[in-house]
Amino acid sequence: IFTLPSKGVYLVGNIIKSLKEYLLETNDFFDRYYDKGRLSDFLRRFPIYIITESNIGIKGSEEYARRLNEKNE
């Protein structure tokens, strides 16, 4: 691991929209994600977010550009 997900792990994209119900109804993904032996407690420090909003990449790019512009003013 080169960079830790200090703000959390974000699951995004169109496939997540299809998998959202499965992810929330079963704990299969989360159980497997956290079942890492001695690293389990460490991984639990980072929340997992499911993002289903359309065009989130574009919105993130717009926000980044806005902040960059404010910084340079």
Side-chain angles (χ1 to χ4, degrees):
I1 297 176
F2 296 104
T3 304
L4 297 176
S6 59
K7 301 292 183 184
V9 176
Y10 293 81
L11 304 177
V12 299
N14 287 333
I15 192 72
I16 294 302
K17 289 180 183 180
S18 302
L19 294 175
K20 181 182 176 182
E21 284 186 38
Y22 171 77
L23 291 173
L24 297 176
E25 288 175 2
T26 69
N27 284 328
D28 201 35
F29 170 81
F30 300 102
D31 290 344
R32 290 172 189 245
Y33 178 81
Y34 291 123
D35 187 20
K36 301 297 183 231
R38 63 188 176 125
L39 292 177
S40 294
D41 289 336
F42 176 74
L43 290 174
R44 289 184 190 283
R45 288 197 259 165
F46 310 114
I48 298 175
Y49 300 99
I50 298 173
I51 309 297
T52 58
E53 188 171 340
S54 297
N55 300 321
I56 194 69
I58 293 172
K59 291 176 182 180
S61 296
E62 288 173 344
E63 178 63 19
Y64 178 77
R66 185 188 64 75
R67 290 180 185 189
L68 190 62
N69 188 41
E70 285 179 358
K71 185 178 178 182
N72 291 328
E73 288 183 348

